[in-house]
Amino acid sequence: MTYGGNIRVQRVTYGGCIRVQRVTYGVNIRVQRVTYGGSIRVQRVTYGVNIRVQSVTYGGNTIVQRVTYGGNIRVQRVTYGGNIRVQSVTYGGNIRVQRVTYGGNIIVQRVTYGGSIRVQHVTYGGNIRVQRVTYGGNIIVRVTYGGSIRVQRVTYGVNIGVQRVTYGGSIRVQRVTYGGSIKVQRVTYGGNIRVQRVTYGVNIRVQRVTYGGSIRVQRVTYGVNIRVQSVTYGGNTIVQRVTYGGNIRVQRVTYGGNIRVQSVTYGGNIRVQRVTYGGNIIVQRVTYGVNIRVQRVAYGGNIRVQSVTYGGNIRVQRVTYGVNIRVQRVTYGVNIRVQRVTYGVNIRIKRVNFDVNIIVNWVTYGVNISVNCVTYGGNR
């Protein structure tokens, strides 16, 4: 079907099928409702083609092999087990969906070369599953009420832009690499972002993590950046390993927000502007030239580090108002530098050895600095 041809159908239902091999050159397929096992099957949608479907529901299927060269699939609602399955979205092809809900599924094998998937609302068990997003492909979406986005691989300058992940909504990504980016405005109310591996100049930027929302990353490496503006109200940023120049930058950790890192190593950096009101930074191991830099720790904020070793550095500008800094072991040329400690602060270090330096600039108002064991050229 080509050159301005049109297919207009009010309802496809009870196993009815629309099968088109190729739709091209300004063609329109408009369907009001696909339901009860009805299906629209198109092999290729290309050159300014539009497929517009109002509702895909009750096991209805829209199956497209390839959307390319400015072809568009626009769907108002995918719900009640309705499915949109696309093998490849590429060369500026677009899939735009207003709402995916009640077990509706969008399943895409590959989004590439500027292809985009834009979804306004994914909710109530709606699912978006994408195998590979690459070469400038884009996924822009809002995820809420148990809706999920699952992506296997994001690579080569790809963007996943999410407005809000909330009410148990989840984004799960297996691998983000080669300049891929995940940008999220708000993660809240038990929403989850889970990433297995982030590598090669990738950026994860989150504006706010709050109300039990969590960011979980298994490995951050090779110049990767995780930037979070605010972690608050029980929000969690959990990272297993930060290594090879990976960076975690957080502007504010407050109101019981947590940053938990298992290992920071090989020049990895954690930089936090402010930790306050019961906010916690918990790090298991800091090693091999790593830096933890905190501008201000105040109002019951906590920094807990199990082991700092092999040239690892902890630098804190100001510690005040009932704050705790606890370090279990400091060894092998490590530096702990604190500019100002004031108002009921506790710095507790269990063991310091092998050319370690602990330097505190100004100590005032009921401060405690306790060092358990200093050995082999350690200084305080």
Side-chain angles (χ1 to χ4, degrees), residues 128-157:
I128 297 177
R129 297 183 185 180
V130 181
Q131 191 177 4
R132 189 172 180 183
V133 183
T134 185
Y135 296 110
N138 297 292
I139 297 177
I140 303 168
V141 72
R142 184 176 180 183
V143 184
T144 183
Y145 296 109
S148 63
I149 298 176
R150 297 183 184 181
V151 181
Q152 192 176 2
R153 190 171 180 183
V154 181
T155 184
Y156 295 111

Side-chain angles (χ1 to χ4, degrees), residues 164-169 186-192 208-215 230-237 254-258:
R164 190 173 180 181
V165 182
T166 183
Y167 297 109
R186 191 172 179 182
V187 182
T188 184
Y189 296 109
N192 295 293
R208 191 172 180 184
V209 182
T210 184
Y211 297 110
S214 63
I215 299 174
S230 180
V231 181
T232 184
Y233 297 109
N236 295 291
T237 300
T254 184
Y255 297 110
N258 296 294

Side-chain angles (χ1 to χ4, degrees), residues 68 75 187 203 205 250 252:
T68 184
V75 181
V187 182
N203 295 295
R205 298 183 184 180
V250 181
R252 189 174 179 181

